[in-house]
Amino acid sequence: MQKKRTRDWCNWGPLAALLPLGLILLLSLHEIRAVHRRNMASALQAVLSTTREGLLTWARQTRATAGIWASKPSVRRAVAAQLEHHRENGLHRDCPHLEELRRELNEIVEKRDYLGFDVIAPDGTHIASDRGDFIATRLLSDHDPDTIAAALRGATVLGAPFAMRSPILHRPVPVLLVAAPVRAVTREGEIIAALAFRIDPGKELTEIAQRGQVGAAGETYAFDRHGRIVTEVRFAQSLRDMGLLAAGERAILNVEVRDPGDDPPLGSRSSLPREEQPLTRMATSAIAGNAGVDVDGYRDYRGVEVVGSWLWEPDLQLGLATEIDRDRAYAVHHATRRVIIAACAVALFTGLVMTMLLQQRARDLADGVAREQGLRRELEDRLHRLERAEAELKDAVRIREEFLRFASHELRTPLTSLRLLYDHMVRSRSHAVSEAMGPRELGRFLKVSSRELARITQVINNMFAVASFATGPPALSLERTELTELVRKTARQVREQLEADGCSLELVLNGPVFGYWDRARLEQVITNLLSNASRHGAGQPITLSVGVQDGSAVISVRDRGVGIAPEQRENLFEPFRWKPDAHGGLGVGLYVCRMIARAHGGEVVVDSVPGEGTTFLVRLPLPPEIEGGEAAPAPEPGGGRRGDGEPA
């Protein structure tokens, strides 16, 4: 019995655990909807409040502008003169005072993009206007008597929009009046007329209202106490499809905020005549002076379910509404709800599947541990490699510092010798050169100077070469070159330096060797090898030979010095891998030699026996066919014979 209960719990236990999860899901969805509704209501009210403030600011500025122009002395004088002319002679459209008023007031009309201006006498007659056909009529007094009467009583008033109809005008025009009193100049305080500016509400009010539109399915609009919309609307084409607007007709003052009934298809006509349809719930509330917000949904003037916020502004005698289609307003919420439900369903399915896979997971755990150990070993190996790279980097920094120290030493030594020689010359400048030093001393001075300058030049050339190699292989200037003559010329240039180091030079030249090489680069190679041999030659003779071997030109430099230990040959041609001993040097000469040889397609090899000396062989490939003769085979490392009887 106990086993059966245990088995039943195992079967139904996971399903029972889903009940609290479902309850949590329902509570979460309810809270998300409540938060979305609060945020939507706040956003609608914020948009509506911003639009209201924009309209009030515009109204204050418009009333102030009308008051300023009605108070201008020049306008007051012209109005008084025009009124006097009206009383004495009747109204004429070519009166000079009328032209003066037009010049004065057309400035603000054009600047503010007003429809025009009118000056109304106390009897309601137009005594001046930008339109000659308005003069001597009561057009504005008949259409908006309250605004004109308020201005004649001394108030600056912004009226409500109305449709101006007149036989003069071929179609009704939406107009909004701002009127201010005009007082006499001589009798302060007496109101003699009213100055009114005609404004297009479809431009001014719509521009402000459209700034509060919410998304692609929302709009903000204004309406009067009769429920007539006094701004342009976004969905004018839908209204034309419903038969509420004629083709080319503006929505302003032609569309009322009425409810067409229970959700007629968008773009279709309601069975109930428009004049019998009630105002929408929003319009009824606003016209009654109430402000509100509805995020549950109500029908707008198209019959579409919307959410919105509204208010009535008594200063403007207008209602304001901000609305957005309900489906669009809740689209994000519905999408969020679908995502959450889908995520919970996926999580539930995943949980059930994971329960079934636990056993398989346990078997895979051992493999995972093994893989983790392998990754750990790989990470440790990478760590070791990083540590080695760090050590190599530190070694490179040390080598750089030693290079700078030895480079300064290599340059300072010959410069010191030159400075001492020239100091001696400066101290002897009061005597003739022949008196200060004899020909022998002068010759010695010039030889030492030339030798030290050559040494400085060699150091600088090697430093420039190393710097240029950092950007790629050295550039070559190939030309047809006779190698034997080049070697002989280079030997003459460095002979004195070698003799100063205590080494004699033996040349083994067996014949001309022609090829296409860079003369300056090969001269640098020979100079570096001879300089290296003199530093390590222990004052013993140096043999320099040229020959041909296995299709390659071979330059051999052999010294009879201390030789090179086998463990030192591995890094022999790497830059800055010198040993800081008494021989000195920058540690880049052999590196430069190898780079130049490789640029020619050749190589530099070394053969050395400790205690017996070292031989460096520079192999340069020869073209398959070359004009000129060939030299004898190159001498073997460690030996050679004098050629042409040439002295060292």
Side-chain angles (χ1 to χ4, degrees), residues 223 225 282-292 310-314 318-319:
F223 52 92
R225 63 176 56 259
M282 176 278 300
T284 301
S285 175
I287 293 173
N290 301 318
W310 61 86
L311 59 82
W312 182 261
E313 178 50 54
L318 292 176

Side-chain angles (χ1 to χ4, degrees), residues 234-315:
R234 168 175 284 185
F235 306 106
Q237 186 57 47
S238 298
L239 298 176
R240 293 188 180 93
D241 295 338
M242 296 170 63
L244 300 181
L245 281 179
E249 187 179 24
R250 300 172 64 182
I252 181 171
L253 296 174
N254 291 315
V255 176
E256 296 179 351
V257 190
R258 295 186 178 275
D259 184 356
D262 294 335
D263 294 332
L266 188 62
S268 64
R269 302 190 182 189
S270 173
S271 59
L272 190 65
R274 188 67 173 178
E275 60 273 9
E276 297 181 11
Q277 297 171 3
L279 295 176
T280 64
R281 183 156 56 87
M282 176 278 300
T284 301
S285 175
I287 293 173
N290 301 318
V293 59
D294 187 340
V295 294
D296 292 321
Y298 60 90
R299 287 187 298 273
D300 68 352
Y301 57 88
R302 300 170 296 159
V304 176
E305 282 286 328
V306 296
V307 296
S309 177
W310 61 86
L311 59 82
W312 182 261
E313 178 50 54
D315 289 346

Side-chain angles (χ1 to χ4, degrees), residues 184-405:
V185 177
T186 56
R187 294 181 297 278
E188 187 64 32
E190 180 183 355
I191 299 174
I192 60 175
L195 173 62
F197 291 103
R198 302 189 305 279
I199 300 173
D200 182 3
K203 177 180 181 301
E204 300 291 345
L205 299 182
T206 302
E207 182 178 349
I208 298 173
Q210 285 179 346
R211 297 172 189 168
Q213 290 181 351
V214 183
E219 68 171 341
T220 299
Y221 58 91
F223 52 92
D224 61 15
R225 63 176 56 259
H226 302 292
R228 296 176 303 179
I229 295 177
V230 297
T231 57
E232 298 296 345
V233 295
R234 168 175 284 185
F235 306 106
Q237 186 57 47
S238 298
L239 298 176
R240 293 188 180 93
D241 295 338
M242 296 170 63
L244 300 181
L245 281 179
E249 187 179 24
R250 300 172 64 182
I252 181 171
L253 296 174
N254 291 315
V255 176
E256 296 179 351
V257 190
R258 295 186 178 275
D259 184 356
D262 294 335
D263 294 332
L266 188 62
S268 64
R269 302 190 182 189
S270 173
S271 59
L272 190 65
R274 188 67 173 178
E275 60 273 9
E276 297 181 11
Q277 297 171 3
L279 295 176
T280 64
R281 183 156 56 87
M282 176 278 300
T284 301
S285 175
I287 293 173
N290 301 318
V293 59
D294 187 340
V295 294
D296 292 321
Y298 60 90
R299 287 187 298 273
D300 68 352
Y301 57 88
R302 300 170 296 159
V304 176
E305 282 286 328
V306 296
V307 296
S309 177
W310 61 86
L311 59 82
W312 182 261
E313 178 50 54
D315 289 346
L316 300 176
Q317 290 299 303
L318 292 176
L320 291 176
T322 294
E323 297 173 339
I324 182 171
D325 290 0
R326 188 178 185 279
D327 291 341
R328 294 289 187 90
Y330 281 94
V332 174
H333 167 69
H334 293 156
T336 303
R337 184 175 62 180
R338 288 192 296 270
V339 169
I340 292 176
I341 294 175
C344 291
V346 171
L348 174 61
F349 177 77
T350 303
L352 295 176
V353 173
M354 289 300 295
T355 302
M356 300 172 60
L357 295 177
L358 282 177
Q359 187 176 3
Q360 179 65 35
R361 178 61 178 169
R363 290 194 296 267
D364 295 339
L365 186 59
D367 295 337
V369 171
R371 288 194 298 270
E372 182 181 354
Q373 292 175 349
L375 290 174
R376 184 177 301 170
R377 287 192 296 271
E378 182 180 354
L379 289 176
E380 291 176 353
D381 181 61
R382 291 185 179 182
L383 180 61
H384 293 326
R385 290 200 297 268
L386 288 176
E387 291 175 349
R388 287 197 300 270
E390 182 182 7
E392 292 176 357
L393 181 59
K394 291 181 179 179
D395 187 49
V397 173
R398 177 187 59 78
I399 289 173
R400 184 198 63 182
E401 294 174 351
E402 292 182 0
F403 164 72
L404 294 176
R405 184 171 67 254

Side-chain angles (χ1 to χ4, degrees), residues 323-531:
E323 297 173 339
I324 182 171
D325 290 0
R326 188 178 185 279
D327 291 341
R328 294 289 187 90
Y330 281 94
V332 174
H333 167 69
H334 293 156
T336 303
R337 184 175 62 180
R338 288 192 296 270
V339 169
I340 292 176
I341 294 175
C344 291
V346 171
L348 174 61
F349 177 77
T350 303
L352 295 176
V353 173
M354 289 300 295
T355 302
M356 300 172 60
L357 295 177
L358 282 177
Q359 187 176 3
Q360 179 65 35
R361 178 61 178 169
R363 290 194 296 267
D364 295 339
L365 186 59
D367 295 337
V369 171
R371 288 194 298 270
E372 182 181 354
Q373 292 175 349
L375 290 174
R376 184 177 301 170
R377 287 192 296 271
E378 182 180 354
L379 289 176
E380 291 176 353
D381 181 61
R382 291 185 179 182
L383 180 61
H384 293 326
R385 290 200 297 268
L386 288 176
E387 291 175 349
R388 287 197 300 270
E390 182 182 7
E392 292 176 357
L393 181 59
K394 291 181 179 179
D395 187 49
V397 173
R398 177 187 59 78
I399 289 173
R400 184 198 63 182
E401 294 174 351
E402 292 182 0
F403 164 72
L404 294 176
R405 184 171 67 254
F406 278 91
S408 61
H409 172 74
E410 287 294 310
L411 291 173
R412 186 169 60 249
T413 300
L415 288 175
T416 301
S417 300
L418 289 174
R419 182 175 61 80
L420 293 175
L421 290 172
Y422 280 102
D423 284 347
H424 176 68
M425 292 291 293
V426 171
R427 287 194 299 271
S428 305
R429 67 182 182 276
S430 59
H431 305 284
V433 175
S434 59
E435 296 177 3
M437 57 177 66
R440 187 173 181 180
E441 293 180 349
L442 182 60
R444 178 177 174 275
F445 166 77
L446 294 176
K447 289 181 179 180
V448 172
S449 298
S450 177
R451 184 171 63 249
E452 299 301 335
L453 288 174
R455 183 172 297 175
I456 293 174
T457 301
Q458 181 185 359
V459 172
I460 294 175
N461 287 340
N462 284 336
M463 293 175 67
F464 274 119
V466 172
S468 65
F469 295 164
T471 60
L476 301 178
S477 178
L478 301 179
E479 58 180 318
R480 192 172 187 272
T481 304
E482 204 283 289
L483 189 59
T484 302
E485 179 60 29
L486 178 63
V487 170
R488 183 183 290 111
K489 173 185 174 184
T490 306
R492 285 197 300 267
Q493 294 174 351
V494 300
R495 182 182 60 187
E496 293 184 2
Q497 180 178 345
L498 297 179
E499 292 176 351
D501 293 336
C503 299
S504 61
L505 179 62
E506 178 185 9
L507 293 179
V508 180
L509 308 174
N510 295 292
V513 180
F514 291 91
Y516 289 95
W517 301 300
D518 189 322
R519 295 176 61 88
R521 294 289 190 180
L522 292 185
E523 183 177 340
Q524 188 176 5
V525 170
I526 299 169
T527 301
N528 285 347
L529 292 176
L530 291 176
S531 176

Side-chain angles (χ1 to χ4, degrees), residues 626-639:
I626 188 71
E627 296 182 4
E630 285 188 346
E636 295 297 330

